[in-house]
Amino acid sequence: PEDSYSFIGDVPDFSELKVYITYNSSVRSQTDEFDISSDIDINEPGAYRVTVKHGQFTAVFEHNVYKKYLGDINFDGRITGTDARAILRHAAKIENLTRPGEAVADINSDGRVSPADARTVLRISAKLEKHPDDIKKNINPPGSEFHDEKTNGA
């Protein structure tokens, strides 16, 4: 797969994986008879190797586990103007997001990635608006203008 990924806590689903065997550099056929093994830790972000075996043939691909934080398009653990820019460029059809990036870009949860999502991410990065996860949990992260040391952000 070009872009195999999951988010922390989600068990990777390889049920749609298609395996093709090429014989003599020209005959290609699909097989459903293969074994998959991996060292994926669903609780730890990172890149993991997945091994697919069919008889004497072995193929390896990378599977990435990401921490899902709405608006963090580049998965650096922060929401910044760079994330807002990527969302806006995607919404304007200038640049495509990765599949995992697209999964966290719809910050307002309206089912599509739009300039409104870019605006929200930019406002969050400028500390003009709270992140939806923080609102749900009634948390204000330390360092934000919304944080109250007496209540530890709540």
Side-chain angles (χ1 to χ4, degrees):
E2 283 183 30
D3 196 8
S4 179
Y5 75 94
S6 58
F7 293 104
I8 289 178
D10 295 342
V11 175
D13 179 10
F14 297 117
S15 63
E16 299 293 318
L17 184 66
K18 292 182 176 33
V19 174
Y20 295 90
I21 306 298
T22 304
Y23 301 96
N24 300 327
S25 302
S26 63
V27 179
R28 182 176 176 200
S29 73
Q30 184 177 345
T31 181
D32 294 327
E33 298 175 17
F34 57 88
D35 295 313
I36 295 179
S37 62
S38 73
D39 61 349
I40 296 172
D41 180 348
I42 65 170
N43 297 309
E44 188 65 37
Y48 298 91
R49 290 171 47 106
V50 178
T51 304
V52 180
K53 289 186 177 183
H54 171 76
Q56 64 194 33
F57 303 102
T58 301
V60 177
F61 65 90
E62 187 174 273
H63 179 86
N64 291 291
V65 176
Y66 298 105
K67 179 178 180 185
K68 189 172 188 176
Y69 189 53
L70 288 175
D72 181 17
I73 306 310
N74 58 7
F75 299 97
D76 66 355
R78 304 173 304 139
I79 293 182
T80 65
T82 301
D83 298 307
R85 179 182 185 272
I87 293 170
L88 189 57
R89 289 179 65 82
H90 178 81
K93 298 186 180 0
I94 295 170
E95 196 172 280
N96 289 325
L97 294 172
T98 62
R99 282 187 27 223
E102 197 169 348
V104 297
D106 182 18
I107 196 162
N108 63 11
S109 300
D110 67 355
R112 61 192 185 94
V113 178
S114 70
D117 297 303
R119 178 183 183 272
T120 300
V121 167
L122 191 57
R123 289 181 56 80
I124 291 168
S125 74
K127 297 182 178 31
L128 298 173
E129 196 170 315
K130 283 181 160 184
H131 189 280
D133 290 348
D134 296 339
I135 292 169
K136 286 178 197 168
K137 297 174 192 169
N138 196 25
I139 293 173
N140 299 314
S144 79
E145 70 178 76
F146 307 110
H147 185 75
D148 180 356
E149 294 298 328
K150 293 176 190 163
T151 61
N152 196 24

